[in-house]
């Protein structure tokens, strides 16, 4: 999954934080696979993806309205853990 989601031939500059890339063209079902690929009923795809994406949509709006800073932390991701998670989690400070 890490290789797929960081494939330069698909994403050009996969390590750049450039969310606008997803507005540039439609993303096919099995191109971006943070929760596995294929059909959840028959393949290796997380059945919780709909719930997760719904929660992220709600969270994104709240985060955009909050004030906070992101302190120094270890945001590297181990390829040995599923689901993936930054080593320090994602720590926010000074939340208002
Ligand atoms: C950021 C959140 C999540 C990530 C990154 C994630 C990722 C994954 C991945 C990679 C798999 C393995 C797919 C495979 O190779 O077969 C998986 C399986 C699974 N996930 Fe998630 N997941 C997330 C959230 C959730 C949530 C919220 C639920 C439940 C509401 C859920 C339920 C499951 C279940 C039950 C499986 C096992 C499916 C099976 O083996 O038949 N996941 N998930």
């Amino acid at each position: 999954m890490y290789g797929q989601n960081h494939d330069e031939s698909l994403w050009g500059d996969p390590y750049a934080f450039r969310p606008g890339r997803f507005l540039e063209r439609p993303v096919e079902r099995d191109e971006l696979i943070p929760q596995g690929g294929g059909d959840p009923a028959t393949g290796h795809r997380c059945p919780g993806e709909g719930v997760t994406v719904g929660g992220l949509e709600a969270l994104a709006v709240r985060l955009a309205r909050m004030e906070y800073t992101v302190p120094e932390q270890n945001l590297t991701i181990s390829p040995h853990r599923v689901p993936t998670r930054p080593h320090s989690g994602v720590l926010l400070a000074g939340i208002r």
Side-chain angles (χ1 to χ4, degrees):
M1 291 194 308
Y2 186 88
Q4 172 78 10
N5 294 329
H6 293 81
D7 183 341
E8 273 200 36
S9 67
L10 279 173
W11 311 114
D13 49 358
Y15 292 94
F17 179 68
R18 198 167 57 74
R21 73 176 79 229
F22 299 112
L23 301 175
E24 292 164 4
R25 67 171 178 85
V27 177
E28 300 297 325
R29 185 191 70 176
D30 294 327
E31 287 185 329
L32 181 69
I33 54 163
Q35 290 180 250
D39 182 311
T42 54
H44 277 279
R45 191 171 211 110
C46 172
E49 188 167 11
V51 175
T52 306
V53 172
L56 289 173
E57 283 173 2
L59 180 64
V61 173
R62 294 199 61 181
L63 281 174
R65 292 183 178 146
M66 278 166 41
E67 283 183 38
Y68 55 84
T69 57
V70 182
E72 187 89 11
Q73 57 194 289
N74 183 358
L75 293 176
T76 58
I77 292 172
S78 167
H80 304 292
R81 183 183 189 281
V82 176
T84 53
R85 179 178 187 271
H87 278 103
S88 54
V90 178
L91 306 175
L92 305 179
I95 298 173
R96 284 195 291 149

